[in-house]
Amino acid sequence: MKFIHIADLHIGKRVRGFSLIDEQKYTLEQVASYAVQEKVHAVIIAGDVFDKPVAPLEALDVLEEFFATLATAHIPVVAIAGNHDSAERLSFGARFREEQFVHIARAFSATPQFLDFTEANNDSKEENKEKVAPLRVRVHLIPFVRPVHVRAAFPHQAEAIANYTDALRVACANQPLIEKDANLLVAHQFVVHGESEPETCESETVSVGGLDSVQASVFDAFDYVALGHIHTAQSVGRDTIRYSGSIFPYSFSEAGREKSVTLIDISPSITGANTSPGATNKRLSVTTRSLPLHENRTLREITGSFEELARTAPSDPHADDYLHVTLTDDALMNAMEKIRALYPHVMQLDFAHTRRIQTARQQAIKEAHLSNDPIGLLTDFYRSQTENELSESQIAAIRTIIDEEVAAR
């Protein structure tokens, strides 16, 4: 059985005042085309469908068209809310949408949410061919949650939920797993493997210090985990815990990175055991393949003097891209106006000498922070905000809190 895994659509997002709605529409048309071409059983959206809890009308139109295209091809959509979405608004009309192949998870509660997909894997009429039982894939839905949500849903376990890892462990433990077939989880969290964190970029919302991190081990019982939240496609811990990445680059830190969708193929395996550490009684083959997404207009960075850019712009086949321009000139009057006459979609303009100064300053601050302990960081922050020093009793209280947090881990 095949599924397409996408996430972080952020439909309606604007970057530095520029709407990306046309690019998002073009990308989703490619996703729908892949879904039809690969004859998938469903398209899975792992959160951040919209960029804001209250989506603009143009974003609603794009999503509706995407859903309608898939419904016409009788391809279900399964979606959860991310931290940018409103789970309540996103799931409005869910009972009616299901008739049109659209399944959207409601806000997290004690009631588990899941769908079952079944396919007979033995269409051959060869008499001597070994019979294989129909494969069933249960798709479990856990929209973006915080520990407070899980404590409210399971008050009898509230004391055991101290952090995000605990919260997801409890949420996953209350999903009804099927023992003999495949369990696929859809979630939207910041997942880490031990001390190893996923590769991030500037367009994501990640808590400082990894306070919202979830250990990948809580997903051991699932054969594939379709993740959203991180914008770079990558696996965490094992190949089958995967971020599909965003469908479009939403910051210049992503410039030049190819975007893709993840094609999941789940099938019975007579010889090979499944890849899920927590379900050794099953034999499944779970493989993934990346399908590239192409962009008519992307985010790009260019550097040069105004004279050099003026000379090359007329022959630049991608002059219409969204650009971050760095000028090597010492100064240029009305720089943005002049550059936009050459490149109409300049989002950001810097001068090289200014960037060097800013980069050196940021690096110095970073090195100072890395060489400091938590008490030192808080002392520096308090001093910068109040122009006063922390008292000995305040430092002692802070140290007690830090020691308790370390012990709890």
Side-chain angles (χ1 to χ4, degrees), residues 234-274:
Q234 59 195 296
S235 295
V236 182
R238 57 181 164 98
D239 290 343
T240 49
I241 299 178
R242 183 167 177 80
Y243 286 105
S244 63
S246 60
I247 62 170
F248 189 83
Y250 292 126
S251 69
F252 287 106
S253 64
E254 301 168 71
R257 300 184 187 180
E258 183 181 79
K259 294 297 180 178
S260 63
V261 302
T262 300
L263 180 67
I264 313 162
D265 195 336
I266 304 176
S267 60
S269 175
I270 297 173
T271 58
N274 74 316

mmCIF file of all heavy atoms in Angstrom, residues 234-274:
data_model
loop_
_atom_site.group_PDB
_atom_site.id
_atom_site.type_symbol
_atom_site.label_atom_id
_atom_site.label_comp_id
_atom_site.label_asym_id
_atom_site.label_seq_id
_atom_site.Cartn_x
_atom_site.Cartn_y
_atom_site.Cartn_z
ATOM 1 N N GLN A 234 14.112 14.716 6.325
ATOM 2 C CA GLN A 234 15.139 13.931 7.016
ATOM 3 C C GLN A 234 14.480 12.888 7.914
ATOM 4 O O GLN A 234 13.300 12.997 8.246
ATOM 5 C CB GLN A 234 16.022 14.838 7.878
ATOM 6 C CG GLN A 234 15.242 15.608 8.930
ATOM 7 C CD GLN A 234 16.043 16.748 9.528
ATOM 8 O OE1 GLN A 234 17.069 16.543 10.185
ATOM 9 N NE2 GLN A 234 15.571 17.966 9.317
ATOM 10 N N SER A 235 15.265 11.892 8.283
ATOM 11 C CA SER A 235 14.809 10.875 9.214
ATOM 12 C C SER A 235 15.420 11.142 10.590
ATOM 13 O O SER A 235 16.466 11.787 10.703
ATOM 14 C CB SER A 235 15.218 9.477 8.735
ATOM 15 O OG SER A 235 14.569 9.163 7.515
ATOM 16 N N VAL A 236 14.768 10.631 11.637
ATOM 17 C CA VAL A 236 15.230 10.834 13.004
ATOM 18 C C VAL A 236 15.316 9.484 13.703
ATOM 19 O O VAL A 236 14.299 8.822 13.910
ATOM 20 C CB VAL A 236 14.281 11.753 13.798
ATOM 21 C CG1 VAL A 236 14.821 11.979 15.209
ATOM 22 C CG2 VAL A 236 14.078 13.080 13.078
ATOM 23 N N GLY A 237 16.513 9.068 14.031
ATOM 24 C CA GLY A 237 16.688 7.804 14.759
ATOM 25 C C GLY A 237 16.675 6.587 13.872
ATOM 26 O O GLY A 237 17.574 5.762 13.916
ATOM 27 N N ARG A 238 15.630 6.413 13.093
ATOM 28 C CA ARG A 238 15.544 5.318 12.123
ATOM 29 C C ARG A 238 14.872 5.833 10.852
ATOM 30 O O ARG A 238 14.206 6.884 10.874
ATOM 31 C CB ARG A 238 14.775 4.131 12.702
ATOM 32 C CG ARG A 238 13.359 4.415 13.199
ATOM 33 C CD ARG A 238 12.719 3.153 13.783
ATOM 34 N NE ARG A 238 11.545 3.400 14.601
ATOM 35 C CZ ARG A 238 10.278 3.296 14.190
ATOM 36 N NH1 ARG A 238 10.027 2.958 12.927
ATOM 37 N NH2 ARG A 238 9.274 3.524 15.008
ATOM 38 N N ASP A 239 15.043 5.106 9.771
ATOM 39 C CA ASP A 239 14.560 5.572 8.469
ATOM 40 C C ASP A 239 13.062 5.810 8.439
ATOM 41 O O ASP A 239 12.573 6.632 7.653
ATOM 42 C CB ASP A 239 14.925 4.561 7.373
ATOM 43 C CG ASP A 239 16.420 4.525 7.097
ATOM 44 O OD1 ASP A 239 17.108 5.485 7.496
ATOM 45 O OD2 ASP A 239 16.894 3.548 6.487
ATOM 46 N N THR A 240 12.325 5.086 9.280
ATOM 47 C CA THR A 240 10.865 5.156 9.217
ATOM 48 C C THR A 240 10.254 6.124 10.234
ATOM 49 O O THR A 240 9.044 6.120 10.458
ATOM 50 C CB THR A 240 10.264 3.748 9.398
ATOM 51 O OG1 THR A 240 10.852 3.127 10.542
ATOM 52 C CG2 THR A 240 10.537 2.892 8.173
ATOM 53 N N ILE A 241 11.062 6.966 10.853
ATOM 54 C CA ILE A 241 10.573 8.146 11.575
ATOM 55 C C ILE A 241 11.061 9.328 10.763
ATOM 56 O O ILE A 241 12.257 9.639 10.765
ATOM 57 C CB ILE A 241 11.093 8.209 13.017
ATOM 58 C CG1 ILE A 241 10.645 7.000 13.816
ATOM 59 C CG2 ILE A 241 10.608 9.486 13.703
ATOM 60 C CD1 ILE A 241 11.159 6.976 15.245
ATOM 61 N N ARG A 242 10.155 9.979 10.054
ATOM 62 C CA ARG A 242 10.614 10.886 9.004
ATOM 63 C C ARG A 242 9.831 12.200 8.941
ATOM 64 O O ARG A 242 8.616 12.227 9.061
ATOM 65 C CB ARG A 242 10.519 10.188 7.645
ATOM 66 C CG ARG A 242 11.043 11.011 6.490
ATOM 67 C CD ARG A 242 11.225 10.193 5.228
ATOM 68 N NE ARG A 242 11.666 11.030 4.120
ATOM 69 C CZ ARG A 242 12.917 11.431 3.927
ATOM 70 N NH1 ARG A 242 13.858 11.023 4.770
ATOM 71 N NH2 ARG A 242 13.245 12.194 2.892
ATOM 72 N N TYR A 243 10.590 13.274 8.748
ATOM 73 C CA TYR A 243 10.032 14.566 8.361
ATOM 74 C C TYR A 243 10.020 14.638 6.832
ATOM 75 O O TYR A 243 11.045 14.380 6.189
ATOM 76 C CB TYR A 243 10.880 15.724 8.897
ATOM 77 C CG TYR A 243 10.755 15.968 10.380
ATOM 78 C CD1 TYR A 243 11.766 15.581 11.253
ATOM 79 C CD2 TYR A 243 9.623 16.590 10.899
ATOM 80 C CE1 TYR A 243 11.649 15.812 12.621
ATOM 81 C CE2 TYR A 243 9.498 16.820 12.263
ATOM 82 C CZ TYR A 243 10.515 16.430 13.111
ATOM 83 O OH TYR A 243 10.398 16.647 14.456
ATOM 84 N N SER A 244 8.888 14.995 6.260
ATOM 85 C CA SER A 244 8.844 15.162 4.803
ATOM 86 C C SER A 244 9.407 16.511 4.397
ATOM 87 O O SER A 244 9.779 16.720 3.249
ATOM 88 C CB SER A 244 7.403 15.032 4.293
ATOM 89 O OG SER A 244 6.601 16.076 4.831
ATOM 90 N N GLY A 245 9.457 17.462 5.346
ATOM 91 C CA GLY A 245 9.920 18.809 5.038
ATOM 92 C C GLY A 245 8.791 19.661 4.487
ATOM 93 O O GLY A 245 7.712 19.162 4.144
ATOM 94 N N SER A 246 9.015 20.959 4.413
ATOM 95 C CA SER A 246 8.011 21.866 3.863
ATOM 96 C C SER A 246 7.929 21.707 2.351
ATOM 97 O O SER A 246 8.850 21.207 1.710
ATOM 98 C CB SER A 246 8.340 23.312 4.231
ATOM 99 O OG SER A 246 9.617 23.670 3.706
ATOM 100 N N ILE A 247 6.815 22.149 1.775
ATOM 101 C CA ILE A 247 6.619 21.989 0.320
ATOM 102 C C ILE A 247 7.279 23.099 -0.481
ATOM 103 O O ILE A 247 7.362 23.018 -1.714
ATOM 104 C CB ILE A 247 5.120 21.920 -0.034
ATOM 105 C CG1 ILE A 247 4.414 23.225 0.356
ATOM 106 C CG2 ILE A 247 4.462 20.725 0.649
ATOM 107 C CD1 ILE A 247 3.008 23.349 -0.171
ATOM 108 N N PHE A 248 7.775 24.145 0.211
ATOM 109 C CA PHE A 248 8.402 25.281 -0.465
ATOM 110 C C PHE A 248 9.407 25.885 0.502
ATOM 111 O O PHE A 248 9.199 25.850 1.716
ATOM 112 C CB PHE A 248 7.330 26.314 -0.855
ATOM 113 C CG PHE A 248 7.829 27.420 -1.752
ATOM 114 C CD1 PHE A 248 7.910 27.220 -3.128
ATOM 115 C CD2 PHE A 248 8.223 28.649 -1.226
ATOM 116 C CE1 PHE A 248 8.376 28.237 -3.947
ATOM 117 C CE2 PHE A 248 8.691 29.655 -2.043
ATOM 118 C CZ PHE A 248 8.764 29.451 -3.420
ATOM 119 N N PRO A 249 10.519 26.452 0.007
ATOM 120 C CA PRO A 249 11.475 27.107 0.915
ATOM 121 C C PRO A 249 10.889 28.396 1.469
ATOM 122 O O PRO A 249 10.492 29.278 0.706
ATOM 123 C CB PRO A 249 12.693 27.371 0.022
ATOM 124 C CG PRO A 249 12.159 27.401 -1.373
ATOM 125 C CD PRO A 249 11.002 26.452 -1.395
ATOM 126 N N TYR A 250 10.836 28.514 2.791
ATOM 127 C CA TYR A 250 10.221 29.679 3.415
ATOM 128 C C TYR A 250 11.230 30.605 4.083
ATOM 129 O O TYR A 250 10.840 31.510 4.812
ATOM 130 C CB TYR A 250 9.163 29.225 4.420
ATOM 131 C CG TYR A 250 7.957 28.580 3.750
ATOM 132 C CD1 TYR A 250 7.515 27.312 4.129
ATOM 133 C CD2 TYR A 250 7.267 29.232 2.733
ATOM 134 C CE1 TYR A 250 6.421 26.723 3.512
ATOM 135 C CE2 TYR A 250 6.174 28.649 2.112
ATOM 136 C CZ TYR A 250 5.754 27.396 2.506
ATOM 137 O OH TYR A 250 4.669 26.828 1.884
ATOM 138 N N SER A 251 12.509 30.366 3.872
ATOM 139 C CA SER A 251 13.551 31.268 4.355
ATOM 140 C C SER A 251 14.771 31.092 3.468
ATOM 141 O O SER A 251 14.908 30.079 2.772
ATOM 142 C CB SER A 251 13.912 30.954 5.813
ATOM 143 O OG SER A 251 14.567 29.700 5.905
ATOM 144 N N PHE A 252 15.655 32.065 3.507
ATOM 145 C CA PHE A 252 16.857 31.979 2.669
ATOM 146 C C PHE A 252 17.845 30.939 3.186
ATOM 147 O O PHE A 252 18.758 30.538 2.455
ATOM 148 C CB PHE A 252 17.517 33.352 2.553
ATOM 149 C CG PHE A 252 16.743 34.284 1.657
ATOM 150 C CD1 PHE A 252 15.994 35.318 2.198
ATOM 151 C CD2 PHE A 252 16.726 34.094 0.291
ATOM 152 C CE1 PHE A 252 15.260 36.161 1.380
ATOM 153 C CE2 PHE A 252 15.988 34.925 -0.541
ATOM 154 C CZ PHE A 252 15.248 35.966 0.004
ATOM 155 N N SER A 253 17.663 30.471 4.411
ATOM 156 C CA SER A 253 18.494 29.372 4.894
ATOM 157 C C SER A 253 18.161 28.076 4.161
ATOM 158 O O SER A 253 18.918 27.110 4.226
ATOM 159 C CB SER A 253 18.306 29.180 6.402
ATOM 160 O OG SER A 253 16.976 28.803 6.703
ATOM 161 N N GLU A 254 17.020 28.035 3.474
ATOM 162 C CA GLU A 254 16.624 26.862 2.699
ATOM 163 C C GLU A 254 16.938 27.017 1.209
ATOM 164 O O GLU A 254 16.646 26.118 0.418
ATOM 165 C CB GLU A 254 15.113 26.610 2.858
ATOM 166 C CG GLU A 254 14.672 26.377 4.276
ATOM 167 C CD GLU A 254 13.168 26.421 4.420
ATOM 168 O OE1 GLU A 254 12.485 25.482 3.952
ATOM 169 O OE2 GLU A 254 12.651 27.407 5.006
ATOM 170 N N ALA A 255 17.487 28.157 0.815
ATOM 171 C CA ALA A 255 17.767 28.409 -0.593
ATOM 172 C C ALA A 255 18.690 27.335 -1.161
ATOM 173 O O ALA A 255 19.713 26.990 -0.567
ATOM 174 C CB ALA A 255 18.405 29.785 -0.761
ATOM 175 N N GLY A 256 18.318 26.787 -2.291
ATOM 176 C CA GLY A 256 19.132 25.778 -2.957
ATOM 177 C C GLY A 256 18.834 24.359 -2.532
ATOM 178 O O GLY A 256 19.339 23.409 -3.129
ATOM 179 N N ARG A 257 18.004 24.166 -1.496
ATOM 180 C CA ARG A 257 17.647 22.818 -1.054
ATOM 181 C C ARG A 257 16.436 22.330 -1.844
ATOM 182 O O ARG A 257 15.415 23.007 -1.910
ATOM 183 C CB ARG A 257 17.313 22.792 0.434
ATOM 184 C CG ARG A 257 18.437 23.246 1.342
ATOM 185 C CD ARG A 257 18.021 23.084 2.795
ATOM 186 N NE ARG A 257 18.996 23.653 3.719
ATOM 187 C CZ ARG A 257 18.879 23.642 5.036
ATOM 188 N NH1 ARG A 257 17.803 23.069 5.584
ATOM 189 N NH2 ARG A 257 19.793 24.184 5.817
ATOM 190 N N GLU A 258 16.547 21.150 -2.400
ATOM 191 C CA GLU A 258 15.429 20.599 -3.166
ATOM 192 C C GLU A 258 14.313 20.169 -2.235
ATOM 193 O O GLU A 258 14.526 19.469 -1.262
ATOM 194 C CB GLU A 258 15.883 19.390 -3.996
ATOM 195 C CG GLU A 258 14.790 18.816 -4.883
ATOM 196 C CD GLU A 258 15.240 17.604 -5.678
ATOM 197 O OE1 GLU A 258 15.289 16.510 -5.092
ATOM 198 O OE2 GLU A 258 15.566 17.766 -6.874
ATOM 199 N N LYS A 259 13.103 20.595 -2.539
ATOM 200 C CA LYS A 259 11.934 20.177 -1.783
ATOM 201 C C LYS A 259 11.339 18.924 -2.428
ATOM 202 O O LYS A 259 11.480 18.697 -3.631
ATOM 203 C CB LYS A 259 10.890 21.294 -1.731
ATOM 204 C CG LYS A 259 11.360 22.510 -0.944
ATOM 205 C CD LYS A 259 11.613 22.158 0.511
ATOM 206 C CE LYS A 259 12.072 23.349 1.320
ATOM 207 N NZ LYS A 259 12.270 23.013 2.742
ATOM 208 N N SER A 260 10.648 18.124 -1.609
ATOM 209 C CA SER A 260 10.130 16.855 -2.111
ATOM 210 C C SER A 260 8.944 16.407 -1.280
ATOM 211 O O SER A 260 8.652 16.975 -0.221
ATOM 212 C CB SER A 260 11.218 15.777 -2.079
ATOM 213 O OG SER A 260 11.633 15.534 -0.741
ATOM 214 N N VAL A 261 8.249 15.386 -1.766
ATOM 215 C CA VAL A 261 7.249 14.677 -0.964
ATOM 216 C C VAL A 261 7.798 13.281 -0.719
ATOM 217 O O VAL A 261 8.647 12.787 -1.474
ATOM 218 C CB VAL A 261 5.881 14.604 -1.671
ATOM 219 C CG1 VAL A 261 5.366 15.991 -1.983
ATOM 220 C CG2 VAL A 261 5.958 13.780 -2.951
ATOM 221 N N THR A 262 7.326 12.650 0.340
ATOM 222 C CA THR A 262 7.786 11.301 0.671
ATOM 223 C C THR A 262 6.725 10.285 0.267
ATOM 224 O O THR A 262 5.566 10.393 0.679
ATOM 225 C CB THR A 262 8.073 11.164 2.176
ATOM 226 O OG1 THR A 262 9.096 12.097 2.546
ATOM 227 C CG2 THR A 262 8.548 9.756 2.515
ATOM 228 N N LEU A 263 7.124 9.321 -0.547
ATOM 229 C CA LEU A 263 6.244 8.232 -0.940
ATOM 230 C C LEU A 263 6.542 7.044 -0.038
ATOM 231 O O LEU A 263 7.665 6.548 0.006
ATOM 232 C CB LEU A 263 6.463 7.854 -2.406
ATOM 233 C CG LEU A 263 5.591 6.711 -2.926
ATOM 234 C CD1 LEU A 263 4.124 7.123 -2.972
ATOM 235 C CD2 LEU A 263 6.065 6.269 -4.316
ATOM 236 N N ILE A 264 5.536 6.587 0.710
ATOM 237 C CA ILE A 264 5.680 5.458 1.629
ATOM 238 C C ILE A 264 5.091 4.221 0.972
ATOM 239 O O ILE A 264 3.978 4.255 0.455
ATOM 240 C CB ILE A 264 4.927 5.712 2.950
ATOM 241 C CG1 ILE A 264 5.237 7.108 3.492
ATOM 242 C CG2 ILE A 264 5.241 4.629 3.975
ATOM 243 C CD1 ILE A 264 4.227 7.583 4.509
ATOM 244 N N ASP A 265 5.831 3.133 1.001
ATOM 245 C CA ASP A 265 5.351 1.859 0.451
ATOM 246 C C ASP A 265 5.401 0.813 1.563
ATOM 247 O O ASP A 265 6.470 0.469 2.057
ATOM 248 C CB ASP A 265 6.221 1.431 -0.728
ATOM 249 C CG ASP A 265 5.573 0.328 -1.560
ATOM 250 O OD1 ASP A 265 4.726 -0.403 -1.005
ATOM 251 O OD2 ASP A 265 5.905 0.197 -2.750
ATOM 252 N N ILE A 266 4.225 0.341 1.969
ATOM 253 C CA ILE A 266 4.125 -0.663 3.036
ATOM 254 C C ILE A 266 3.557 -1.943 2.448
ATOM 255 O O ILE A 266 2.494 -1.935 1.828
ATOM 256 C CB ILE A 266 3.210 -0.179 4.178
ATOM 257 C CG1 ILE A 266 3.716 1.159 4.729
ATOM 258 C CG2 ILE A 266 3.137 -1.214 5.296
ATOM 259 C CD1 ILE A 266 2.818 1.762 5.785
ATOM 260 N N SER A 267 4.273 -3.041 2.635
ATOM 261 C CA SER A 267 3.811 -4.313 2.082
ATOM 262 C C SER A 267 4.225 -5.459 2.994
ATOM 263 O O SER A 267 5.168 -5.329 3.779
ATOM 264 C CB SER A 267 4.390 -4.521 0.679
ATOM 265 O OG SER A 267 5.806 -4.530 0.723
ATOM 266 N N PRO A 268 3.517 -6.596 2.915
ATOM 267 C CA PRO A 268 3.930 -7.765 3.705
ATOM 268 C C PRO A 268 5.259 -8.283 3.194
ATOM 269 O O PRO A 268 5.545 -8.220 1.991
ATOM 270 C CB PRO A 268 2.817 -8.784 3.460
ATOM 271 C CG PRO A 268 1.715 -8.048 2.796
ATOM 272 C CD PRO A 268 2.319 -6.878 2.111
ATOM 273 N N SER A 269 6.086 -8.763 4.085
ATOM 274 C CA SER A 269 7.375 -9.331 3.704
ATOM 275 C C SER A 269 7.486 -10.718 4.311
ATOM 276 O O SER A 269 7.405 -10.882 5.530
ATOM 277 C CB SER A 269 8.521 -8.448 4.186
ATOM 278 O OG SER A 269 9.761 -9.058 3.922
ATOM 279 N N ILE A 270 7.656 -11.737 3.466
ATOM 280 C CA ILE A 270 7.754 -13.119 3.946
ATOM 281 C C ILE A 270 9.106 -13.371 4.589
ATOM 282 O O ILE A 270 9.254 -14.126 5.534
ATOM 283 C CB ILE A 270 7.517 -14.102 2.779
ATOM 284 C CG1 ILE A 270 6.099 -13.923 2.248
ATOM 285 C CG2 ILE A 270 7.749 -15.535 3.229
ATOM 286 C CD1 ILE A 270 5.822 -14.729 0.990
ATOM 287 N N THR A 271 10.122 -12.654 4.109
ATOM 288 C CA THR A 271 11.483 -12.918 4.596
ATOM 289 C C THR A 271 12.021 -11.853 5.531
ATOM 290 O O THR A 271 12.841 -12.143 6.394
ATOM 291 C CB THR A 271 12.452 -13.050 3.412
ATOM 292 O OG1 THR A 271 12.396 -11.838 2.630
ATOM 293 C CG2 THR A 271 12.052 -14.224 2.546
ATOM 294 N N GLY A 272 11.564 -10.620 5.364
ATOM 295 C CA GLY A 272 12.168 -9.546 6.142
ATOM 296 C C GLY A 272 11.292 -9.075 7.269
ATOM 297 O O GLY A 272 10.088 -8.924 7.128
ATOM 298 N N ALA A 273 11.885 -8.857 8.421
ATOM 299 C CA ALA A 273 11.132 -8.356 9.577
ATOM 300 C C ALA A 273 10.868 -6.871 9.387
ATOM 301 O O ALA A 273 11.594 -6.176 8.675
ATOM 302 C CB ALA A 273 11.922 -8.602 10.855
ATOM 303 N N ASN A 274 9.838 -6.385 10.064
ATOM 304 C CA ASN A 274 9.530 -4.968 9.935
ATOM 305 C C ASN A 274 10.573 -4.113 10.635
ATOM 306 O O ASN A 274 11.382 -4.591 11.410
ATOM 307 C CB ASN A 274 8.136 -4.680 10.507
ATOM 308 C CG ASN A 274 8.133 -4.713 12.013
ATOM 309 O OD1 ASN A 274 8.719 -5.587 12.613
ATOM 310 N ND2 ASN A 274 7.465 -3.752 12.609
#
